[in-house]
Amino acid sequence: MAVDLSVSWLGVNMENPLYNASGVMCRSREELDAVAASAAGAVVTKSCTLSPREGNPEPRYARAPHGSINSMGLPNAGYEYYLDYAKNYDHASGKPLFVSVSGMTLEENLTMLKAFRDADLPCLVELNLSCPNLPGKAQIGYDFAASSHVLSEVVKVYDKPFGVKLPPYFDPVHFAEMASVLNSFPSLKYVTCINSVGNGLVIDIDSESVVIKPKAGLGGLGGDYVLPTALANVREFSRLLDGKHVIGCGGIKSGREAFMHILAGATAVQVGTCLYEEGAGCFARIRDELAAIMEEKGYRTLADFRGKLLTM
């Protein structure tokens, strides 16, 4: 039986549902080109700020027993770099391109969004409401009134479909509150769940030390640590959002986790820690593993099982 892994949504046509999580292998043109040349179904840029940022001091990423911990601090080349990349990208024959925007202030976000709007490029913008690794800067996604205000200002200047990247939520009341905010904005067409689980602490027992430098060792967790939380967020937002797509991100290292995310309701899925550790070759492996699972189960398309998670 031939398995069809393609995904079509918001005018985007992907050969398969896999792409990189913003923040991993997407800071430079060379990294973005490597993802584009891989088996990934799409490409997303590093979350950009108004001006270039070096990010937090090293070491700021470390392997952990069940995944990773990082406190990168939004290192990026500045929005004009990624705008130029998008202008020169082969949109006609290349893979779909997403641009992630993460201003340090609302004004910065509006300035960048206006620039991408005026460029009128065929790429989708993802507004990051959830970076947990900026010392002294709260995650806007945990303040529902502030999130509503930001989005109200965004839609005044950005009239194209866009998405947001969300932090992980842990309480049904918070799922419902954030969904209510998001449902108020028709042009907000998708959400990415989740960013890393913020402010974890990994300790090296041999050195009796933390393993990353920023924030005295506190950082965002990824990998196996976050899979159940990511799946919960994907499932809940898939149920609560009206006519919006959910992109799953968190703990995907094989076809099994990709299948779980889609079963929970994800339209497509992003790979982070696994991509960082394995490189762009992970996309072909995960793609083939997902296809094998679907074939074994008798599913021909992703729609055959998307969002059809059984409950007891």
Side-chain angles (χ1 to χ4, degrees), residues 136-216:
K137 189 173 187 296
Q139 295 186 63
I140 195 76
Y142 284 139
D143 185 329
F144 304 115
S147 295
S148 181
H149 174 67
V150 166
L151 293 171
S152 294
E153 295 302 309
V154 163
V155 299
K156 291 177 184 178
V157 304
Y158 194 77
D159 56 359
K160 301 175 70 175
F162 72 102
V164 293
K165 187 167 187 177
L166 298 177
Y169 299 97
F170 303 94
D171 191 292
V173 172
H174 296 157
F175 289 127
E177 285 193 52
M178 193 57 178
S180 178
V181 169
L182 300 174
N183 280 330
S184 300
F185 299 95
S187 63
L188 195 165
K189 297 295 188 182
Y190 73 96
V191 301
T192 300
C193 302
I194 56 172
N195 210 325
S196 56
V197 175
N199 299 304
L201 183 66
V202 174
I203 294 173
D204 181 345
I205 195 170
D206 294 327
S207 64
E208 302 181 16
S209 171
V210 299
V211 297
I212 57 174
K213 185 174 182 177
K215 296 172 63 176

Side-chain angles (χ1 to χ4, degrees), residues 26-34 80-82 84-85 88:
C26 56
R27 183 178 178 184
S28 69
R29 287 182 174 87
E30 292 76 17
E31 289 179 332
L32 290 162
D33 287 346
E80 290 177 326
Y81 180 94
Y82 303 103
D84 182 70
Y85 181 84
N88 290 284

Side-chain angles (χ1 to χ4, degrees), residues 26-200:
C26 56
R27 183 178 178 184
S28 69
R29 287 182 174 87
E30 292 76 17
E31 289 179 332
L32 290 162
D33 287 346
V35 174
S38 75
V43 185
V44 61
T45 69
K46 185 78 177 75
S47 291
C48 60
T49 50
L50 195 65
S51 301
R53 285 178 55 88
E54 288 300 317
N56 292 337
E58 302 275 4
R60 56 194 184 189
Y61 174 93
R63 294 180 181 177
H66 303 289
S68 65
I69 184 170
N70 87 86
S71 183
M72 304 301 286
L74 288 179
N76 74 95
Y79 85 98
E80 290 177 326
Y81 180 94
Y82 303 103
L83 179 57
D84 182 70
Y85 181 84
K87 287 179 177 178
N88 290 284
Y89 187 79
D90 185 0
H91 295 279
S93 58
K95 294 172 180 176
L97 177 67
F98 295 77
V99 177
S100 179
V101 171
S102 188
M104 305 300 287
T105 64
L106 172 59
E107 291 70 26
E108 286 193 9
N109 277 325
L110 297 180
T111 296
M112 292 187 285
L113 289 169
K114 288 175 185 176
F116 283 103
R117 176 203 66 194
D118 293 344
D120 196 25
L121 299 168
C123 53
L124 285 170
V125 166
E126 177 180 279
L127 178 63
N128 186 0
L129 299 180
S130 58
C131 181
N133 299 319
L134 296 173
K137 189 173 187 296
Q139 295 186 63
I140 195 76
Y142 284 139
D143 185 329
F144 304 115
S147 295
S148 181
H149 174 67
V150 166
L151 293 171
S152 294
E153 295 302 309
V154 163
V155 299
K156 291 177 184 178
V157 304
Y158 194 77
D159 56 359
K160 301 175 70 175
F162 72 102
V164 293
K165 187 167 187 177
L166 298 177
Y169 299 97
F170 303 94
D171 191 292
V173 172
H174 296 157
F175 289 127
E177 285 193 52
M178 193 57 178
S180 178
V181 169
L182 300 174
N183 280 330
S184 300
F185 299 95
S187 63
L188 195 165
K189 297 295 188 182
Y190 73 96
V191 301
T192 300
C193 302
I194 56 172
N195 210 325
S196 56
V197 175
N199 299 304

Side-chain angles (χ1 to χ4, degrees), residues 196-256:
S196 56
V197 175
N199 299 304
L201 183 66
V202 174
I203 294 173
D204 181 345
I205 195 170
D206 294 327
S207 64
E208 302 181 16
S209 171
V210 299
V211 297
I212 57 174
K213 185 174 182 177
K215 296 172 63 176
L218 296 181
L221 299 175
D224 293 351
Y225 291 113
V226 307
L227 177 63
T229 298
L231 292 173
N233 278 256
V234 168
R235 202 276 298 271
E236 291 307 294
F237 281 109
S238 295
R239 293 168 66 174
L240 293 168
L241 295 178
D242 299 330
K244 303 183 191 299
H245 296 272
V246 177
I247 308 304
C249 182
I252 296 170
K253 64 180 182 181
S254 74
R256 291 177 58 84

